[in-house]
Every structure is written in C-alpha cells, then in structure tokens.
C-alpha cells in the first residue's frame, strides 16, 4: 500500500478528539497509507513512498457538502441570480422548476461541471440529490469524489396555472415506482468496486410525499444504516401548504410521523415556525430539531438571493441541531457558503458573535460528517479517510498568513486550494481537476441551456419566454448594437 508523508507542514488543521474540535498543528507531519490517515503529529520517523515538503502549505480536511443538485443547477447560470417571485414570498423555486425542464441526456454535463467546481473548492464528500438520469453513476464514479447519491422520488409534483398559487398533481403510483428504483440503485451503489459510492434515501419534498411513503422510506434508510434526506421548511409557500393540510408546521408534522432524529438531514429547515417570515403562533421547531439531533443542511446562497436568511445559525447550534453546509445551487463553492453562513448569522441576530469562522468550518467538515453518520470523514485524524486539501499559503490572497482558516474562508476561498486527495488518491493537482473534463462539459452545458430555454414558452402557464421570466442584467443596447 502506497504511503505518502507530508513533512514539516506549516499548518495542519488537525482533529482533537478529546475536545471534539479542530485545532491548528504547526510544523507537524501527516501520513496516509492507502485510503487511510495513519499519522498526524510531530516528527514522523517512519518511511514513505512519497515525501512532500509541507513548507508554504496548510492541510485541511476535505470539505463535506451535504446538499446539492449538481446535475441541474448549473443550467440556471444567468437565470436564477435575480429571479424571485413576490407572490411566492420571494422564492423563485416553483416558477423555475415548473417553467424550465432539462432533457435528461444533458444532465451529466451539468454534474461534470459542478463536480469540478466542488473539487476545486476542496470538497471531497458530496450529497447529490437528483432524479436519476442516464450517465449519472458513470460520472459519479469517474469524478473521484466520495459520493452520497440521493436518487429522489415524489408522490406528487408542483403545478402552476396562475401566479399566486401552487398546486399539486398527485401520482402515487409513480412515487412508489421511483422509490423502489431508488432503493435498488442505492443497494447497487453500496456494492460499487470503487468503495467511494453510497446512497441516501431521499423523498424530495415534504409537501410532495404521502405520510406513508415518508415513514416507509425513513424505515428503509434505518434498515440500511444510511441517512435519509428531505426538503422541509424551505419556503413560506410550503409552510402554508402544510398548515392548510395538517394545521401545523412542516417540522411538527415530521416530528409527529417519527421521522426526525439521527440520520435525518433536512434541507433547509429555514422557514421554521418562529422565523420572522412565517408569523406562526408556535415556537417549537428549532427545539424539536435539536432535541432529536436532526441534521440541517444549511445552504445560504439560494435563500440570500431571495432576501431570506436562517434565524439564526448560532441559535440552531445552541439548541443542539447538527449543522452541516450545502451549496444547493451554483456557484458550487462550499468555502463561500461557509463565509455566507457566518456573516448572515451575524446579520440575522444583530450579533457579531452568532457564528464564528471556527463554527462554520466545523459545520462544513465534522458537522456534515455527523449528519452522514460518518466519524471517519471531515477530520484529519488517525483512522480517518485520507480526504484532504492543500491550501497554498504562498497565494497573495492568503498573505499575511496569520490565521489560515480565516484567510481561506474570508479572503481566498477556492483560489488558494491547490491539491485535493480523496481516499488517498490525488484528484486535483495545481488547481486542475485530474479526473474530469471541465472545459468540455462547460461547452455542452451551454448547448443544453439553450435547448432548455427554447422549451420554456411551451411549459410556462402564461406562455412566457425565458427572457420574459428572467430578463438579462442589462438591456441590450439599440443604439450601439450591430447594424441592421
Ligand atoms: Zn435542494
């Protein structure tokens, strides 16, 4: 088994198991053998096949992204940044997903682009929530990422025939078929020869599934010892739909079904009962999440674009909620999401201490690993997986190097990530992805987006074009345009 020794590393973000937190180790060594870390400490005196001089570098654990839709979201670059529907309490989710559809054969190019972006920002573990499409398993396997595939299923889907109302079209038989297919795929992934692929049981949205299938699918995840994930409390529209049906918040409803607890990951549990956007009369949701040790995939980016924030990260953490970070949409840059999570917590709470850089880094590593029920990920410790990233401390954005994580999260982000290893295999070298074709996939993505946009008038209930739904940032000049 090949052994790699990082010697005399300027800074290592090492795991202190007794204190259950990351600490800085200065001038230390890190060794991995095969897929596993075998030494973190001072002055390793063993032998290794490869010795790497750690001068000018900081080693961090590979980041753990517990909520993303890598295949579909990049097709919305240029479309979703300013898009927001006031009649839906600002979320653009329902309008976008009702009016736009991506042909399944093109989704693999979106995934390839997103996986590259994620690897280049130091992500090594990824929860990929999608309706299965042709080529998915192949692109996951090629990527080199540690994948937690979440093949989705729903017993109803969204439908719009006017601006202010979201309707639901029931198709329980389809939901059941897709649930069975998802379990079959998950079981096959667990047996994949790479050892890097596994599955998560994923009814997609709380409002789009019957209580029976939520309970059954939760049990199927428990049987397999794997996590279960679901979108819940992600919009006021959803919150109100659940109140209309059940007279209670989505979180209270899930608690009543007995599906909260360890191994449950909710995206995004943001519009909870006492969030200021909701104005509901109870104040129990955050406590229910914390007491049950439910995990929340906090994905600040799509929500902050709508003007919505979690209220707030520090309060959830103090209540005992297992907090992890997800990118959800583009840009798939988990370091920027950690930064947004810290800053928005301070904005929402009017308190500069509501979430520290250390808190959000913990969420983006160990928090995510805990959500995934994996104590061998998100940390640099003996026995953990050799999933790690090299931060280039000589990058001008990292200098002066007084506090590497502060520099990485608040100044440099992905620009200082130089090399990435998953399972002891190098997947990024000198800021280039070794496993995938980033440029080629981006070109196909552009083609796929044009095809997607051309179908919008036929799908939108009002027959609008994509440009009418989401105008460009600037008008195209009639004065300086090409001569007719
Ligand atoms: Zn999502």
């Amino acid at each position: 088994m090949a052994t790699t020794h990082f010697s005399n590393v300027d800074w290592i973000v090492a795991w202190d198991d007794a204190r259950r937190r990351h600490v800085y180790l200065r001038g230390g060594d890190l060794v991995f053998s095969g897929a596993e870390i075998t030494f973190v400490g001072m002055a390793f005196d063993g032998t290794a096949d490869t010795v790497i001089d750690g001068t000018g570098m900081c080693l961090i654990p590979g980041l753990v992204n517990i909520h993303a839709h890598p295949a579909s979201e990049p097709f919305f670059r240029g479309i979703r940044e300013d898009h927001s529907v006031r009649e839906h309490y600002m979320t653009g989710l329902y309008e976008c997903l009702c009016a736009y559809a991506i042909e399944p054969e093109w989704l693999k190019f979106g995934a390839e682009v997103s996986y590259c972006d994620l690897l280049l920002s130091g992500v090594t573990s990824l929860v990929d929530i999608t309706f299965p499409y042709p080529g998915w398993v192949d692109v996951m396997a090629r990527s080199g990422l540690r994948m937690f595939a979440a093949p989705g299923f729903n017993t109803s889907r969204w439908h719009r025939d006017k601006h202010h109302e979201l309707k639901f079209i029931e198709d329980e038989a389809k939901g059941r078929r897709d649930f069975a297919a998802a379990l079959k795929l998950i079981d096959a992934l667990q047996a994949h020869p790479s050892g890097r692929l596994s599955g998560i049981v994923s009814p997609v949205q709380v409002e789009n599934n019957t209580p029976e299938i939520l309970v059954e699918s939760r049990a199927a995840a428990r049987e397999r010892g794997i996590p279960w994930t679901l979108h819940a409390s992600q919009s006021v529209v959803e919150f109100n739909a659940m109140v209309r049906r059940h007279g209670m918040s989505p979180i209270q409803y899930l608690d009543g079904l007995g599906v909260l607890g360890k191994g449950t990951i909710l995206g995004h549990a943001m519009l909870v009962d006492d969030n200021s956007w909701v104005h509901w009369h109870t104040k129990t949701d955050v406590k229910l999440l914390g007491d049950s040790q439910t995990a929340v995939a906090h994905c600040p980016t799509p929500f902050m674009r709508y003007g919505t924030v979690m209220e707030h990260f520090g309060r959830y953490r103090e209540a005992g909620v297992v907090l992890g970070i997800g990118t959800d949409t583009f840009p798939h840059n988990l370091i920027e999401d950690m930064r947004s999570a810290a800053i928005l917590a301070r904005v929402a709470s009017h308190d500069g201490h509501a979430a520290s850089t250390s808190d959000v880094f913990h969420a983006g590593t160990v928090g995510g690993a805990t959500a995934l029920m994996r104590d061998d990920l998100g940390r640099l410790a003996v026995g953990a997986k050799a999933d790690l990233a090299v931060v280039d401390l000589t990058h001008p954005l990292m200098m002066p190097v007084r506090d590497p994580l502060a520099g990485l999260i608040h100044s440099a982000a992905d620009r200082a990530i130089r090399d990435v290893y998953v399972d002891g295999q190098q997947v990024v070298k000198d800021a280039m992805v070794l496993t995938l074709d980033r440029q080629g996939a981006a070109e196909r993505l552009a083609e796929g987006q044009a095809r997607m946009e051309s179908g919008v008038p036929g799908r939108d209930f009002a027959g609008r074009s994509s440009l009418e739904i989401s105008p460009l940032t600037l008008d195209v000049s009639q004065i300086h345009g090409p001569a007719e």
Side-chain angles (χ1 to χ4, degrees):
M1 216 180 305
T3 300
T4 301
H5 172 197
F6 286 91
S7 168
N8 199 23
V9 183
D10 281 359
W11 301 75
I12 298 174
V13 174
W15 179 245
D16 182 337
D17 201 49
R19 296 166 68 202
R20 306 299 298 165
R21 60 168 65 173
H22 297 296
V23 292
Y24 282 137
L25 177 67
R26 303 206 51 187
D29 290 9
L30 182 143
V31 180
F32 61 81
S33 188
E36 194 176 300
I37 296 172
T38 52
F39 182 89
V40 184
M42 303 304 290
F44 175 70
D45 62 2
T47 56
D49 302 294
T50 308
V51 180
I52 298 170
D53 177 12
T55 308
M57 67 168 68
C58 172
L59 295 182
I60 63 169
L63 305 179
V64 179
N65 181 348
I66 61 166
H67 188 109
H69 312 286
S72 55
E73 281 302 311
F75 286 90
F76 292 98
R77 283 184 186 161
I79 294 171
R80 290 193 76 169
E81 294 87 342
D82 285 357
H83 175 254
S84 169
V85 177
R86 287 182 168 126
E87 294 85 349
H88 288 176
Y89 295 82
M90 301 305 164
T91 181
L93 180 65
Y94 309 107
E95 178 155 278
C96 260
L97 296 196
C98 290
Y100 292 80
I102 305 154
E103 294 163 90
E105 307 71 45
W106 291 76
L107 286 164
K108 58 182 179 285
F109 302 115
E112 187 152 0
V113 164
S114 301
Y115 293 168
C116 289
D117 295 350
L118 288 162
L119 283 165
L120 292 168
S121 68
V123 169
T124 55
S125 290
L126 172 65
V127 173
D128 182 345
I129 306 164
T130 185
F131 295 107
Y133 56 84
W136 185 28
V137 174
D138 169 66
V139 69
M140 284 196 285
R142 277 193 291 128
S143 71
L145 278 158
R146 188 177 301 287
M147 297 294 310
F148 295 82
F153 51 90
N154 277 334
T155 57
S156 71
R157 62 184 166 84
W158 300 321
H159 173 70
R160 293 176 83 222
D161 55 19
K162 53 173 84 79
H163 277 287
H164 61 277
E165 190 180 359
L166 184 66
K167 295 183 176 171
F168 300 89
I169 296 177
E170 307 289 333
D171 190 346
E172 185 167 357
K174 180 177 189 324
R176 293 240 156 235
R177 278 196 308 275
D178 290 353
F179 173 39
L183 290 182
K184 204 169 155 200
L185 175 58
I186 287 167
D187 293 340
L189 291 174
Q190 308 283 117
H192 193 270
S194 70
R196 282 181 293 94
L197 309 189
S198 62
I200 294 190
V201 180
S202 179
V204 183
Q205 291 103 7
V206 63
E207 76 279 20
N208 272 332
N209 280 284
T210 60
E212 292 78 16
I213 208 164
L214 292 176
V215 170
E216 282 173 45
S217 62
R218 185 71 195 85
R222 279 206 186 96
E223 267 165 36
R224 289 165 173 77
I226 60 176
W228 181 82
T229 195
L230 172 78
H231 291 83
S233 277
Q234 66 165 337
S235 78
V236 180
V237 173
E238 171 219 305
F239 189 99
N240 290 345
M242 296 303 284
V243 164
R244 259 196 317 279
R245 289 182 206 170
H246 307 289
M248 62 183 86
S249 75
I251 304 293
Q252 291 159 0
Y253 168 72
L254 293 171
D255 179 54
L257 294 181
V259 297
L260 298 181
K262 277 186 186 171
T264 287
I265 305 174
L266 299 183
H268 305 276
M270 184 178 272
L271 282 305
V272 292
D273 59 354
D274 58 353
N275 183 285
S276 63
W277 284 68
V278 170
H279 289 298
W280 191 240
H281 67 99
T282 61
K283 291 185 170 23
T284 65
D285 285 2
V286 172
K287 186 168 170 9
L288 286 173
L289 295 173
D291 288 352
S292 60
Q293 296 178 52
T294 300
V296 168
H298 181 35
C299 306
T301 297
F303 298 95
M304 69 189 191
R305 287 184 187 148
Y306 301 140
T308 321
V309 291
M310 175 181 271
E311 294 171 350
H312 57 85
F313 185 98
R315 183 172 72 105
Y316 281 51
R317 189 201 56 223
E318 277 161 26
V321 181
V322 176
L323 283 161
I325 308 276
T327 48
D328 201 4
T329 184
F330 63 88
H332 285 287
N333 189 324
L334 200 84
I335 304 174
E336 291 184 348
D337 276 300
M338 289 193 281
R339 183 197 308 155
S340 299
I343 290 171
L344 291 172
R346 301 172 198 183
V347 172
S349 62
H350 297 205
D351 179 355
H353 297 269
S356 67
T357 300
S358 162
D359 292 334
V360 294
F361 187 75
H362 187 94
T365 52
V366 174
T370 304
L372 294 169
M373 303 188 292
R374 292 288 297 260
D375 60 8
D376 58 345
L377 301 177
R379 71 207 71 196
L380 299 181
V382 172
K385 294 289 183 197
D387 294 2
L388 52 109
V390 175
V391 180
D392 177 8
L393 299 179
T394 67
H395 192 292
L397 282 163
M398 288 300 296
M399 296 167 74
V401 188
R402 180 176 180 275
D403 184 341
L405 284 183
L408 178 71
I409 291 171
H410 294 277
S411 293
D414 55 309
R415 292 168 290 200
I417 300 289
R418 190 171 71 201
D419 304 313
V420 179
Y421 297 79
V422 181
D423 236 18
Q425 301 287 320
Q426 188 161 16
V427 287
V428 173
K429 185 175 193 309
D430 295 325
M432 295 286 287
V433 178
L434 300 176
T435 51
L436 298 169
D437 175 12
R438 191 184 194 200
Q439 189 65 36
E443 285 163 16
R444 302 307 300 277
L445 177 67
E447 247 178 287
Q449 185 189 58
R451 295 172 71 94
M452 173 183 81
E453 285 196 274
S454 71
V456 168
R459 293 180 56 86
D460 180 53
F461 73 92
R464 295 167 298 170
S465 70
S466 177
L467 264 179
E468 287 172 307
I469 292 174
S470 174
L472 302 186
T473 295
L474 302 178
D475 291 340
V476 177
S477 170
Q478 302 302 309
I479 305 168
H480 304 289
E484 285 181 21

